[in-house]
Amino acid sequence: MRVPVPGQIRTGEFADTSRELITRDGWKVTVSKFGEKLDSVPPLNRSPQSFEGFSSVGGEAKIEAAHPNDPKRKPTSKIKSATLTTGVQVGCAVTADSLTVGGSLSNPTTASITPTVTASGTVTGQGQGGSSGGQGGGSVSGTGTGSLSGTLSDTVTETGNISGVVKPGTTKDIPYAKKAVVGPNAQVMSRDIRIAVDNCIGGVQIRTYATVAVSTDATDDTLTTFGKPIFLTRPEQNR
């Protein structure tokens, strides 16, 4: 498997993005989002209000002198710390609360819904030291949970009815990877992170991001680049 690099995808809904800033003390900071991919799949619970997919995204941070060829314009402060973070923002249009499922159902039930979203997968990171440093790399696997939507506890057939209260939807920020920027650059790549959203009536959108936070002796700066909002769809599934 070839590792993607920033700038390879230039058009379309998964296009790479980047942003750049010059700090007041003379550092050039660049953050890039790249290698994005989203595969929507039929939800395992087969609920008409559930959505599921596998998300991939990479991030890169670069920190360098804003004017490297001008010795009179060197940075005036030292870098104390820097962190690269990637992740996804998940949004649901409408959520349901205190639903009552009744009528001629095969499995009638009543459920009070507390929204939840889950994400799990594998992350790899690469870093590079400075002129007197070395090189390093690492990987981490894990699972995270957050508050977004909920799961109806049983299967509902089309012969019944659902009544209750619907509420405006919510969004949730789910970090995928976090890595210290030890040298002039660092990179992380998260592949096939599973996103499962339940009890969402109006559809699910996700938006990826990459953020770099830099702290010097004089300033603290953050910079974020975003992907385009993309819908999790519901592919046809065998019944």
Side-chain angles (χ1 to χ4, degrees):
M1 179 183 296
R2 179 173 298 178
V3 178
V5 297
Q8 283 185 329
I9 306 176
R10 299 185 180 183
T11 60
E13 59 183 0
F14 299 129
D16 297 347
T17 63
S18 65
R19 294 185 67 190
E20 177 183 299
L21 70 82
I22 306 296
T23 68
R24 295 183 65 180
D25 44 357
W27 291 101
K28 178 181 176 181
V29 180
T30 306
V31 62
S32 302
K33 185 275 306 178
F34 66 95
E36 183 178 356
K37 186 179 179 182
L38 178 65
D39 294 320
S40 297
V41 298
L44 287 177
N45 64 4
R46 302 175 62 85
S47 168
Q49 296 174 359
S50 295
F51 300 82
E52 189 171 334
F54 294 93
S55 169
S56 299
V57 69
E60 183 179 71
K62 292 184 178 180
I63 304 172
E64 56 190 335
H67 307 283
N69 298 321
D70 189 347
K72 296 182 179 180
R73 303 176 69 183
K74 292 182 179 181
T76 58
S77 298
K78 293 182 179 180
I79 300 291
K80 295 171 59 179
S81 64
T83 304
L84 170 65
T85 305
T86 60
V88 66
Q89 297 166 334
V90 184
C92 174
V94 181
T95 58
D97 188 38
S98 301
L99 287 180
T100 299
V101 183
S104 302
L105 298 179
S106 59
N107 292 292
T109 184
T110 299
S112 179
I113 308 298
T114 301
T116 58
V117 63
T118 62
S120 60
T122 301
V123 177
T124 61
Q126 297 294 329
Q128 182 176 341
S131 59
S132 60
Q135 294 183 341
S139 63
V140 60
S141 298
T143 301
T145 62
S147 174
L148 176 66
S149 67
T151 304
L152 191 61
S153 61
D154 218 331
T155 301
V156 180
T157 66
E158 61 183 11
T159 58
N161 62 80
I162 301 175
S163 63
V165 178
V166 294
K167 299 189 299 185
T170 58
T171 61
K172 180 65 181 180
D173 188 319
I174 304 175
Y176 280 177
K178 196 170 190 178
K179 183 173 182 64
V181 186
V182 179
N185 62 70
Q187 188 178 102
V188 294
M189 186 69 210
S190 304
R191 296 179 179 84
D192 297 325
I193 305 296
R194 177 179 177 264
I195 299 177
V197 182
D198 302 311
N199 197 45
C200 181
I201 297 175
V204 176
Q205 273 190 314
I206 73 165
R207 180 173 59 196
T208 57
Y209 66 88
T211 298
V212 61
V214 180
S215 178
T216 73
D217 294 330
T219 65
D220 290 330
D221 284 285
T222 61
L223 183 65
T224 301
T225 185
F226 295 94
K228 295 181 179 180
I230 301 173
F231 276 100
L232 268 178
T233 60
R234 291 184 53 84
E236 292 295 327
Q237 54 188 1
N238 296 327
R239 296 182 177 275

